[in-house]
Amino acid sequence: MTGVAVMGVWGFIYFGLLDTKVAVLMFLAIFLSLIPHDMQYGPQASLIAESFTGRLRYSGASLGYQLASVIAGGPAPVIAAALFGGATFLGVHVGGYKTSFAIAIYILVTAVISFIATAMVKERSKQDISLEYDEQPGPAPVGAAAQPSRA
């Protein structure tokens, strides 16, 4: 969640550095942007894996990961371009702010949504993930007592 918070702020710093149009600062912005990206990407595997039981883990993680790419990742460059240069959707002109500040606001909004969504994920890091989450280890059924050894 720290990575999400850093990313929400980083958009303003990033575009501030890019807008200087100084090659060294632009390179620094791109290079340093890997830090908040990796702060989110690193723990993502365990967060997604712990969110699903063994029975659903591969399909659930894959479905969530792929849908996130289509729903959030795919349109992001189009939305950024529309915010900066403007676009017409269904006959309505939107965006066209001609400033990267609008894109930084968009990054902040998506970071806030990500922060809320991550906060709502149930904590399962200390739970036995080999069991189904609806299975509760309880007492042994009646008649299932250990039988004495006949050796």
Side-chain angles (χ1 to χ4, degrees), residues 41-74:
Y41 200 72
Q44 182 181 29
S46 62
L47 176 72
I48 292 173
E50 290 172 355
S51 296
F52 299 97
T53 62
R55 182 171 48 93
L56 301 172
R57 189 162 297 130
Y58 286 113
S59 58
S62 178
L63 185 63
Y65 194 80
Q66 303 309 321
L67 286 177
S69 296
V70 171
I71 294 169

Side-chain angles (χ1 to χ4, degrees), residues 4-125:
V4 173
V6 171
M7 184 60 82
V9 174
W10 178 249
F12 296 97
I13 299 167
Y14 178 81
F15 285 109
L17 290 170
L18 287 185
D19 289 343
T20 65
K21 297 181 179 156
V22 175
V24 172
L25 294 178
M26 294 171 71
F27 174 80
L28 188 65
I30 294 168
F31 180 76
L32 292 177
S33 67
L34 295 173
I35 295 170
H37 172 269
D38 293 345
M39 288 173 71
Q40 296 174 83
Y41 200 72
Q44 182 181 29
S46 62
L47 176 72
I48 292 173
E50 290 172 355
S51 296
F52 299 97
T53 62
R55 182 171 48 93
L56 301 172
R57 189 162 297 130
Y58 286 113
S59 58
S62 178
L63 185 63
Y65 194 80
Q66 303 309 321
L67 286 177
S69 296
V70 171
I71 294 169
V78 175
I79 292 170
L83 286 170
F84 188 82
T88 303
F89 294 108
L90 301 173
V92 178
H93 185 76
V94 295
Y97 296 106
K98 304 290 186 223
T99 177
S100 58
F101 186 76
I103 302 169
I105 293 289
Y106 170 65
I107 292 170
L108 177 63
V109 168
T110 58
V112 168
I113 293 168
S114 298
F115 192 90
I116 293 168
T118 305
M120 294 176 68
V121 172
K122 188 173 180 181
E123 174 64 41
R124 298 190 194 273
S125 64

